[in-house]
Amino acid sequence: MRHRRAVLLALLPALGLLAACTGGGGPGGADGSTVRVAHVPSTLFAPLYVAEARGYFAAQGIKVELRKVRAGQDAVPLAASGKVEAVVAGFSAGLFNGVSQGLGVKVAASMGASTGERPSPTALEVAKRLVAAEKMTDAAGLRGRRIAVAGGAGAAGGYQLAATLRASGLTLKDVTVVNVSIPDMRTALADGGVAAALAPAPFTTAMEAAGVAVPLAVPPKGTTATGVVFSRAFTGKPAARKFLTALRKGAAELQGAGRTSEQNLAILAEATGQSIEVLRNTPPYQWDPQLTPDTGQLMKQQDAYRAAGLLSGKSATADDLVR
């Protein structure tokens, strides 16, 4: 119990994120009909927005309060402390450390995964001047270089970078990962602050159009580092089952041509604040229709963080992590 309390105390600074949340300020979920969901607006989480806009949560008899936070992976303590019932976010090294030490959360669903195709919704963008000067053809040329990742090596992007580098025989220890916010990556590449950046669309498109960067590599097909985290108390409630049922209906709408249908793009534009024109030109992610947590990816992610020296103590098992 003392160990678990220490974990929560170490994570308390993230609870300040509540000040940045939107939505009702009072307790939610007490009667099982309201589910408070912390999220960072992103097309990665399209099933959430589609399910809400199409009325699938309402059809299940639950009300969803979407609460925006600044950093999704840092919002997990909100679920552990009962401030929200669910977090739709990236999985960070902190999640694995916390779960292994008794943090009261469970991974309930997966979210967007890489397609492995080009153009890709996420890409390793390398400074164009560097590629031209060194005739760099793959990520192996980045050994010893500075690479920008939002949130740093321990964020979800750190694992995506590790998966992307693996094909070139590199690990996170072979590069210097620098924490740079996504909007600032283009400037960091242009002024030489970093050699490369792992960035999502539409920022990748903007970098390339400006002649600042070129995509050198993309995460392998199926790479995923995001999903839905439930508070342990919420996991067993009927509302949790209803929430997932509605979420899966949202995922079903995003299969095949549904990923780029005009109606779904309009929903995503409203939810993320991006223009529909930008989204039309943004490569989409892919979603498992059942949003089943990918335990294989979770274990690979944990291994990547441990190899980079970002985890302490024992490793969490798949049963520890997944509901």
Side-chain angles (χ1 to χ4, degrees):
M1 177 65 75
R2 257 182 320 196
H3 204 37
R4 188 173 303 173
R5 188 177 297 114
V7 174
L8 274 172
L9 286 172
L11 292 168
L12 276 176
L15 296 181
L17 288 168
L18 274 176
C21 292
T22 60
D31 61 357
S33 65
T34 300
V35 182
R36 299 164 297 177
V37 182
H39 73 113
V40 176
S42 169
T43 56
L44 274 164
F45 312 134
L48 174 67
Y49 311 128
V50 170
E52 172 68 5
R54 291 181 179 271
Y56 296 151
F57 293 120
Q60 290 292 320
I62 57 176
K63 176 184 177 183
V64 169
E65 291 183 0
L66 297 182
R67 301 186 172 192
K68 296 178 186 178
V69 292
R70 287 187 292 268
Q73 62 262 30
D74 294 332
V76 172
L78 302 180
S81 63
K83 303 296 184 184
V84 297
E85 283 67 56
V87 175
V88 182
F91 301 143
S92 68
L95 171 67
F96 295 92
N97 269 329
V99 168
S100 72
Q101 296 170 27
L103 192 66
V105 295
K106 287 284 188 178
V107 175
S110 63
M111 274 289 157
S114 298
T115 63
E117 302 170 353
R118 294 182 184 234
S120 169
T122 297
L124 182 58
E125 297 282 343
V126 179
K128 191 172 183 177
R129 54 178 171 71
L130 185 61
V131 173
E134 301 190 12
K135 294 182 171 51
M136 196 180 296
T137 58
D138 63 41
L142 293 172
R143 184 183 295 274
R145 310 270 192 174
R146 289 163 60 88
I147 301 179
V149 172
Y159 170 64
Q160 289 180 309
L161 175 61
T164 304
L165 293 174
R166 192 181 304 126
S168 298
L170 302 182
T171 70
L172 292 179
K173 283 191 171 182
D174 294 315
V175 299
T176 299
V177 178
V178 183
N179 181 5
V180 179
S181 68
I182 293 171
D184 292 332
M185 288 179 177
R186 177 173 159 182
T187 300
L189 284 166
D191 67 16
V194 297
L198 188 84
F203 296 93
T204 48
T205 307
M207 292 174 188
E208 294 162 20
V212 170
V214 294
L216 197 65
V218 302
K221 182 178 181 179
T223 301
T224 179
T226 65
V228 181
V229 174
F230 281 171
S231 70
R232 186 176 292 162
F234 181 63
T235 298
K237 290 186 176 180
R241 175 182 53 79
K242 294 176 181 179
F243 180 85
L244 289 176
T245 296
L247 206 60
R248 289 173 186 135
K249 290 196 70 174
E253 297 285 351
L254 291 160
Q255 303 304 307
R259 293 196 299 166
T260 55
S261 75
E262 284 297 301
Q263 186 174 3
N264 286 337
L265 288 178
I267 290 170
L268 295 183
E270 176 68 23
T272 64
Q274 297 182 26
S275 75
I276 194 166
E277 290 78 13
V278 167
L279 291 178
R280 285 195 191 103
N281 295 305
T282 298
Y285 293 92
Q286 60 185 13
W287 295 270
D288 169 37
Q290 294 301 308
L291 300 179
T292 305
D294 190 331
T295 54
Q297 283 285 313
L298 285 168
M299 294 297 100
K300 287 180 181 178
Q301 187 173 3
Q302 181 171 233
D303 290 344
Y305 289 145
R306 186 167 294 284
L310 298 170
L311 299 184
S312 59
K314 66 176 184 177
S315 293
T317 67
D319 287 342
D320 292 334
L321 287 162
V322 179
R323 65 184 290 276

